[in-house]
Amino acid sequence: MEVIVVKNYEEMSRKAASIIEEKVNADPECVLGLATGGTPLGTYEQLIEGHRSRGIDYSGVTTFNLDEYVGLPRDHSQSYHTFMQEQLFSHIPFLNTYIPNGEAEDLDKECREYEALLDKEGPANIQLLGIGSNGHIGFNEPGASFEAGTHVEELDQVTREANARFFPSLEAVPTEAVTMGIASILKSEEILLLASGANKQEAIRRLLKGEMEEMFPASALYNHKHVTLIVDEEAYGKDVDTSAE
Ligand code: PGA
């Protein structure tokens, strides 16, 4: 795992966006794996800026999102469909954008079909990932199998509490999600893991210990040959000299 320590959230976002832009310029028909949450927002702002001011062209690019809540209507303000529309897709035209359907009547079938689509059109050339304070990636919570493909996952209490800031109450946070599994994520050619802020410090410390265990899902990334962690000083938890960056 390559570790790049940057000063702050903005630098993390600029670095991630520049890696993605380089890929898109080199391969205009590439596949990007996308994430939601507070972490990738700045990256998406940078991508939008690059599209507008430097004409980076995404018209041949296909995207796959990691996850979606079960049971939230697609047009709900907190669905990941809405998030992606507002934060990226309404600003940049892509060739195809895929997000799991958390409203599917037959969720198992939805999971099988999403994985099959990923196999047909993917895998992602670059997968963008955040990390939960409990070490989750996508919605693969502590204890999730490292072998699983796309599946329905029950959300950890830590995750529901972290995401309650976006909902009127904790009770309003969905209890389940459809998520790409750890095995689906590991199919990606390259993984960009982003972490910013002191509330990620413990998760990063544990990740960098390098012990693989299912109770800490992000440790599965040690099974992948090309992972870049871009972490800011607060999340890294030590004063490091990033002046050379
Ligand atoms: P956050 O979530 O980006 O909102 O901190 C990260 C995650 O849960 O993967």
Side-chain angles (χ1 to χ4, degrees):
M1 183 177 299
E2 184 190 357
V3 182
I4 301 176
V5 184
V6 294
K7 200 138 204 68
N8 53 29
Y9 181 83
E10 205 200 328
E11 265 191 35
M12 175 194 79
S13 304
R14 275 198 269 119
K15 181 75 192 160
S18 74
I19 293 172
I20 292 170
E21 287 179 345
E22 215 172 286
K23 172 61 72 180
V24 170
N25 281 334
D27 179 2
E29 294 179 0
C30 69
V31 176
L32 299 177
L34 300 179
T36 49
T39 304
L41 274 180
T43 306
Y44 296 156
E45 275 170 24
Q46 294 291 329
L47 295 182
I48 292 165
E49 175 57 24
H51 172 66
R52 287 197 179 137
S53 64
R54 283 175 284 114
I56 311 275
D57 179 13
Y58 293 84
S59 61
V61 173
T62 294
T63 69
F64 277 88
N65 264 79
L66 285 167
D67 46 21
E68 177 59 286
Y69 290 116
V70 167
L72 279 196
R74 189 175 287 240
D75 61 0
H76 187 282
S77 65
Q78 296 309 324
S79 78
Y80 289 162
H81 280 79
T82 299
F83 178 101
M84 290 309 300
Q85 197 56 35
E86 288 178 349
Q87 307 301 338
L88 192 63
F89 298 156
S90 63
H91 305 278
I92 299 182
F94 287 86
L95 179 63
N96 289 306
T97 59
Y98 300 116
I99 305 177
N101 175 12
E103 292 182 284
E105 247 173 62
D106 184 341
L107 285 169
D108 288 339
K109 181 158 169 270
E110 169 63 18
C111 292
R112 281 196 306 277
E113 288 178 356
Y114 198 73
E115 192 71 27
L117 194 61
L118 184 64
D119 285 338
K120 179 160 169 267
E121 307 233 350
N125 297 100
I126 295 187
Q127 173 70 56
L128 196 57
L129 282 185
I131 182 169
S133 55
N134 62 358
H136 78 191
I137 49 174
F139 271 131
N140 293 282
E141 303 286 20
S145 162
F146 284 6
E147 315 296 324
T150 303
H151 64 284
V152 175
E153 179 91 9
E154 191 179 327
L155 301 187
D156 195 63
Q157 185 65 8
V158 171
T159 298
R160 294 187 65 239
E161 282 166 8
N163 291 4
R165 66 192 196 276
F166 302 116
F167 289 84
S169 65
L170 179 59
E171 292 66 44
V173 182
T175 56
E176 290 180 326
V178 175
T179 183
M180 274 165 58
I182 288 173
S184 337
I185 292 170
L186 294 180
K187 287 175 185 171
S188 320
E189 242 171 49
E190 179 177 349
I191 294 174
L192 271 189
L193 176 65
L194 309 186
S196 166
N199 63 333
K200 299 294 168 69
Q201 212 179 90
E202 175 56 22
I204 293 303
R205 191 194 59 75
R206 205 165 157 189
L207 175 69
L208 294 179
K209 265 197 346 202
E211 281 168 27
M212 283 220 282
E213 44 163 340
E214 288 196 340
M215 287 314 287
F216 191 71
S219 67
L221 297 174
Y222 282 102
N223 282 326
H224 195 280
K225 61 185 186 324
H226 193 172
V227 179
T228 306
L229 166 65
I230 308 176
V231 55
D232 73 6
E233 286 181 7
E234 274 193 0
Y236 194 67
K238 285 181 207 148
D239 284 335
V240 279
D241 181 8
T242 54
S243 55
E245 288 288 324

